[in-house]
Amino acid sequence: MEPVNWKELLQELEAEAAALRKESTRARDLRRRAEQSLQLAESASAEAEIINRLDFLLMGLTEAAKENVCTNTKCPHYSKRCKMR
């Protein structure tokens, strides 16, 4: 197993995250990659800065990957794209 270049991997993930324009499918795929990278970084005892940046990236991707369909049964936009979210 070759050593991981954390900064290069992080730059690649951040660049792809910045390119997302409300594309939830790509965001979900990228979120999975970021989750795997974070787990790998934690198990390999990577620098705290790398782990923190991956964590913040993961939070942003989680928000970007959210479905924009309303699940509130009392909302007038239930099961549709909610304008109140």
Side-chain angles (χ1 to χ4, degrees):
M1 185 173 175
E2 75 180 56
V4 178
N5 183 341
W6 293 111
K7 292 188 181 192
E8 185 178 302
L9 175 66
L10 189 56
Q11 286 175 343
E12 178 186 329
L13 291 172
E14 287 176 337
E16 285 188 49
L20 292 176
R21 303 244 192 249
K22 295 187 179 182
E23 296 181 36
S24 62
T25 303
R26 272 186 62 202
R28 282 191 294 270
D29 292 340
L30 191 55
R31 185 185 71 203
R32 276 189 228 110
R33 284 181 53 206
E35 284 174 346
Q36 292 170 346
S37 298
L38 180 59
Q39 288 174 349
L40 184 61
E42 289 174 337
S43 67
S45 299
E47 298 173 24
E49 175 192 354
I50 299 296
I51 292 173
N52 288 339
R53 285 176 61 186
L54 280 168
D55 195 34
F56 282 118
L57 176 65
L58 189 56
M59 286 189 292
L61 289 169
T62 300
E63 185 64 33
K66 276 186 179 179
E67 292 291 326
N68 201 19
V69 176
C70 186
T71 56
N72 181 356
T73 56
K74 295 178 182 179
C75 178
H77 305 109
Y78 177 67
S79 291
K80 297 180 216 155
R81 216 160 220 230
C82 187
K83 297 173 182 138
M84 300 172 86
R85 287 184 96 192

